[in-house]
Amino acid sequence: MKRENVFLNLDLSDLSAQPGALHIDNKIILIDNLDDVADEENANSLSFANYPMKLSFTIGLIVLSGGMKVKINLEDFEARAGDAIVVFKGNIGEFCSLLPDTRMVVIAFSDELFNVVKHINTALSIQQYIYTNPVFHLDEEFLDEALDIYKKMKAKMTETNNIFLEGILHGYAQVLMYSAYNYFVQRKKNTDNSLECNRNQEIYKLFMQSVQKNYMHERSITYYAGVLCISPKYLSQVIKNVTGRLASEWIADYVILEAKALLKSNKYTVQQVCDMLNFANQSFFGKYFKRKTGVSPKAYIKS
């Protein structure tokens, strides 16, 4: 059965159309409500994804006051003053509610610009850390640094006659991303002193790429080990060592996320979702879904 798109895509062009948004060729977008009156209407003006949307870019939000509830990949999170939220391209985000006094800044990067930091030795480990911890508290020093860079970028955006504007903004963006990566390295060192990029990191990267491509029809660790030309036991050990989670858990994350989206779309029956995700029968799908979520597919639809 051919699957229709469940989520609408949120593109940089959609974001740049938001009130007060500043951008440079839809590669860097800045939005904030720092100068607005603190009320519910102005807080909600930044709520640009009021239903689940798949991002075609990487976005970072810093909450300066108030707070909000969001869903990232259909999981609930709450952010308060001093917290940051990072959502990578391809993930699913949704604003659920914002407090009336919420003040925040938003920075979105195109994939082209975000890729400048992917060569960093620790990039994979940092991205995996952020993927599992998309909402986190910033210490005062880094919060001030990030906000200072944001304000400088915002000020430069108004210099329309500056022939080097794009290069300057790209430079500021790189400073911000490198500073952020350094912050995460130091943060992660508190819990894990091993951030070396090695063969295990490469296996993890290739495994995740393969899962993202094939999870709709393959859930077997043996399959993914075969793609990488290694044994299932070795793949399991590597993924556990790199991420602290089982390979099967990463596969299940994608399967369950897709299943939840399909079920909540109200477009398909449980049997149709079962077929789309290549389960042998509805009974097996129901048991798999309940084991991972604690509820049956039908109960999830009603929740």
Side-chain angles (χ1 to χ4, degrees), residues 22-24 28-30 152-160 165 169:
L22 298 173
H23 71 95
I24 180 75
I28 305 172
I29 298 179
L30 309 179
K152 288 177 178 177
M153 292 175 70
K154 183 178 179 181
K156 283 294 178 184
M157 284 275 195
T158 63
E159 298 181 7
T160 55
L165 180 60
L169 289 171

Side-chain angles (χ1 to χ4, degrees), residues 16 42 50 74-75 108 112 127 146 154 175 181 200 203-204 220 231 241 273 278 291:
S16 65
N42 285 322
N50 295 316
L74 304 184
E75 184 177 350
E112 170 192 345
Q127 289 171 21
K154 183 178 179 181
V175 169
Y181 269 47
N200 287 354
I203 290 174
Y204 163 70
S220 167
S231 72
N241 289 339
V273 174
N278 198 32
R291 186 168 68 250

